Amino acid sequence: MATITKRNNSYRATVSLYQKGEYKRETKTFKNKKDAELWSLEMELEKGRGKNIAERSTLFTIFYQNWVNTVKKNDVREATFINYIRTITVVSSLFEGIKLKHLDDIVMQKKIDKYAETHSKKTTRELVLKIRGSLKYAYARGLITNDFGSLIKAKGQEHPKRNIALSITEFKKLRQHCVNHQEHEFNVLVLLALETGARRGELLGIKKDDLFEYGIHISRSISPTNNDTQLKTKHSKRDISINKDVYNSLLTLAESKSDYIFDWNSFRQSQQLQKLLKQLEITKTTFHGLRDTHASFLFAKNISIDYISRRLGHNSILTTQNYGCTINSVGE
């Protein structure tokens, strides 16, 4: 049972806990007796529900690290798990010395806001999503009294959009250059990116056996950070039709290859693309911007959104609709 002891002008509540053959105590000091009694009652009720109150004194940094290495390790693909591992250092820095029992949405929000001061809103949002997942698990285990993760908001700096869709004029200019200079393997890769809207890793993962008449089969993705070749989603596995000239370019390149069609080139495609765009005096964009360019071209042609969704390998049509709203419109 809980005990309440008056100490000068405050009241100290103590709850006895039994865990793994050992008795422990959880204490908290209040200004008035009523609050001490209310807290004691809540703790006794939590004990009665089988909640793991003793472990609420665990540091959040330790809990988060264990959650990543035990729960998430077998729950996500290798590439995603690596992203979780990277957040351990961030969480360890932000929440050093803070115990689970001392966490609430206000404490958490202040720490997240501090992180957001030097990071983009997108990066902050990704961190918040991971922390929310850990808090949901902590609540289910009875390590925190409520799931306040949904109350945490992601702020941060708004950086200029890097994945810019090229205009139709620039699209045609880049495509024609790649067609005219196929002696450079990278130009064929860019040509295929413009033609299919496939992700860079998906293009680098194409093997000779993935070619079929006027089309390519997407079945793997190459990552610069790990050996995981799984695709982003189950819908990413797809067949994409291509024009005859692009198909012939791939056939010619494939003749000199034994397995993968494109050289991974130490994953320096981004630098190569910037050099090419500067040479042609075309708007600076990223390799993913070529995917946006392809999508914009399809949207501009009023092609069925269902077809666009399948071609891009999206999880659902809703994803494609949202995607269409975020990319820039194709210029004339």
Side-chain angles (χ1 to χ4, degrees):
M1 293 293 293
T3 60
I4 299 175
T5 306
K6 190 175 188 306
R7 304 182 66 183
N8 297 323
N9 296 323
S10 62
Y11 293 84
R12 183 179 185 182
T14 303
V15 178
S16 297
L17 306 173
Y18 183 78
Q19 183 188 35
K20 298 179 180 178
E22 295 183 5
Y23 281 98
K24 297 183 179 181
R25 293 187 304 170
E26 185 74 16
T27 63
K28 191 170 183 179
T29 302
F30 299 87
K31 291 183 178 180
N32 58 72
K33 188 175 181 180
K34 184 177 179 180
D35 288 341
E37 290 174 339
L38 180 59
W39 179 81
S40 299
L41 178 59
E42 290 175 347
M43 291 299 101
E44 291 296 341
L45 290 173
E46 291 285 272
K47 284 169 55 179
R49 297 189 189 105
K51 298 298 183 179
N52 198 346
I53 299 175
E55 288 191 22
R56 291 179 180 178
S57 294
T58 301
L59 293 174
F60 177 64
T61 54
I62 299 299
F63 161 78
Y64 185 83
Q65 181 175 341
N66 290 337
W67 175 73
V68 168
N69 286 307
T70 56
V71 178
K72 302 311 295 183
K73 184 174 184 179
N74 299 316
D75 192 36
V76 297
R77 54 192 291 247
E78 183 182 347
T80 305
F81 177 66
I82 290 176
N83 288 331
Y84 274 93
I85 289 292
R86 289 171 179 164
T87 62
I88 291 177
T89 302
V90 177
V91 169
S92 297
S93 175
L94 286 177
F95 299 95
E96 182 180 4
I98 299 178
K99 297 179 180 180
L100 284 168
K101 65 180 180 180
H102 294 149
L103 277 180
D104 58 26
D105 57 299
I106 297 176
V107 172
M108 185 70 74
Q109 189 66 63
K110 287 181 178 179
K111 296 296 183 180
I112 295 298
D113 289 348
K114 179 180 178 182
Y115 178 79
E117 290 176 0
T118 55
H119 294 81
S120 69
K121 189 171 184 178
K122 179 182 177 182
T123 301
T124 305
R125 186 185 300 115
E126 291 174 351
L127 175 64
V128 168
L129 289 174
K130 291 177 174 61
I131 288 177
R132 281 177 182 168
S134 71
L135 293 176
K136 190 176 293 294
Y137 180 80
Y139 175 66
R141 290 282 310 278
L143 303 180
I144 54 178
T145 56
N146 61 78
D147 182 9
F148 53 83
S150 60
L151 300 177
I152 305 170
K153 306 302 179 185
K155 301 177 184 179
Q157 304 172 22
E158 293 284 3
H159 294 311
K161 183 177 174 63
R162 296 173 62 243
N163 304 329
I164 300 174
L166 304 178
S167 68
I168 289 179
T169 301
E170 291 177 318
F171 167 79
K172 291 180 177 179
K173 183 178 181 180
L174 180 58
R175 188 184 191 282
Q176 192 58 53
H177 173 85
C178 292
V179 169
N180 294 340
H181 298 279
Q182 297 180 35
E183 67 275 12
H184 299 297
E185 181 179 310
F186 180 70
N187 289 340
V188 180
L189 178 64
V190 172
L191 179 63
L192 190 59
L194 291 170
E195 180 76 8
T196 64
R199 303 173 180 90
R200 181 183 68 163
E202 294 174 343
L203 297 174
L204 296 179
I206 298 174
K207 296 184 177 183
K208 296 178 66 172
D209 293 342
D210 294 323
L211 296 183
F212 60 89
E213 190 170 12
Y214 308 135
I216 58 172
H217 180 61
I218 302 293
S219 61
R220 68 189 68 81
S221 180
I222 305 302
S223 170
T225 59
N226 58 78
N227 296 322
D228 182 11
T229 60
Q230 293 183 71
L231 293 169
K232 187 173 183 179
T233 71
K234 63 179 181 180
H235 294 283
S236 296
K237 187 174 184 179
R238 62 201 187 279
D239 291 336
I240 307 178
S241 60
I242 57 179
N243 288 328
K244 185 176 180 180
D245 60 342
V246 179
Y247 174 68
N248 289 334
S249 299
L250 283 176
L251 281 183
T252 300
L253 179 60
E255 289 177 357
S256 61
K257 304 291 181 172
S258 59
D259 193 15
Y260 288 99
I261 292 181
F262 295 106
D263 185 348
W264 299 347
N265 196 23
S266 302
F267 299 96
R268 292 183 298 172
Q269 292 79 21
S270 295
Q271 296 94 310
Q272 289 177 284
L273 178 61
Q274 298 312 313
K275 183 178 180 180
L276 177 59
L277 294 175
K278 184 176 181 180
Q279 173 191 333
L280 298 177
E281 297 182 340
I282 291 176
T283 302
K284 184 177 180 180
T285 189
T286 63
F287 213 90
H288 195 87
L290 302 182
R291 175 174 167 85
D292 290 351
T293 299
H294 178 77
S296 291
F297 182 78
L298 296 180
F299 279 115
K301 294 294 183 180
N302 293 319
I303 294 176
S304 163
I305 194 168
D306 181 63
Y307 173 80
I308 297 176
S309 183
R310 284 185 277 111
R311 188 172 180 86
L312 294 177
H314 283 160
N315 255 343
S316 67
I317 291 180
L318 180 60
T319 302
T320 309
Q321 290 175 331
N322 293 335
Y323 184 69
C325 292
T326 58
I327 59 178
N328 293 337
S329 299
V330 179
E332 294 297 338

